[in-house]
Amino acid sequence: MLVAPSLLAADFGNLEREMQWFNQSKADLLHLDVMDGVFVPNISFGFPVLKHVARLCTKPLDVHLMIVEPQKFIREVADLGARYMNVHYEALTHHHRVLQQIREAGMKPAITLCPSTPVELLSDIICDVDMVLLMSVNPGFGGQKFIPQTLEKVKRLRKLITESGSQAVIEIDGGVNMETGRQLAEAGADVLVAGSFVFGSNDPSDRVDALKALS
Ligand code: DX5
Ligand code: ZN
């Protein structure tokens, strides 16, 4: 299992220290949650903080934009050196165009679905994305309870990916812990985002190891 700890649950007063354990851990990606107070009812952090974190981080960045008009920030996200740029399906009209622009900017295009958005809507763009991120909570806050219907969605998405020949990986975000992580691994998830479960622990590296061991 690939694991992407979410910085949203980190101690922002000690970012250097947080990035120190993170860089030494077995985590695969750093998940960065950008919120604008419009697409979601919360505001997190913006580019000044992202640039600082990008300098401190030695692992690939997975930038999750919970904002309206994410296409306006493709250049800024690319300049961070991000590997994945995750844009919400619900925030876009011209999905195909934006995914292409993300790829042209040198990043892997990723599309995110809110819990109520069916995976079947992706059938005509599934071969244009390198990742599908399924939200397993309503986006906007860390520490929420996992929505169990996500497990069924993962199975339907896995089928869509297999049948289409897409290379997309399946990432899940929200309420991930050992129990939900195990269920998600069984359902077919490839990448688990974990905020409070990892950063809320006295031994975050150990939590990363435990999630990574799921298969
Ligand atoms: C929620 C964010 C998540 C969040 C997950 O809107 O997209 O990435 O950090 O937090 P946990 O793992 O605590 O549910
Ligand atoms: Zn996220």
Side-chain angles (χ1 to χ4, degrees), residues 6 8 31-35 64 66 133 135 173-174 193:
S6 166
L8 193 63
H31 185 83
L32 296 166
D33 290 302
V34 181
M35 305 179 188
H64 177 195
M66 285 164 274
L133 169 53
M135 291 307 303
D173 185 6
V193 175

Side-chain angles (χ1 to χ4, degrees), residues 120-134:
E120 286 72 21
L121 286 175
L122 298 178
S123 61
D124 289 301
I125 49 168
I126 193 69
C127 292
D128 298 292
V129 293
D130 289 358
M131 170 188 277
V132 178
L133 169 53
L134 297 183

Side-chain angles (χ1 to χ4, degrees), residues 17 54 90 125 139 153 177 189 196:
R17 208 176 59 198
E90 304 83 1
I125 49 168
K153 256 178 115 170
N177 54 35
S196 34

Side-chain angles (χ1 to χ4, degrees), residues 168-187:
V169 295
I170 303 178
E171 181 177 54
I172 311 295
D173 185 6
V176 169
N177 54 35
M178 270 336 275
E179 191 192 337
T180 56
R182 197 168 297 119
Q183 294 170 332
L184 287 163
E186 270 171 35

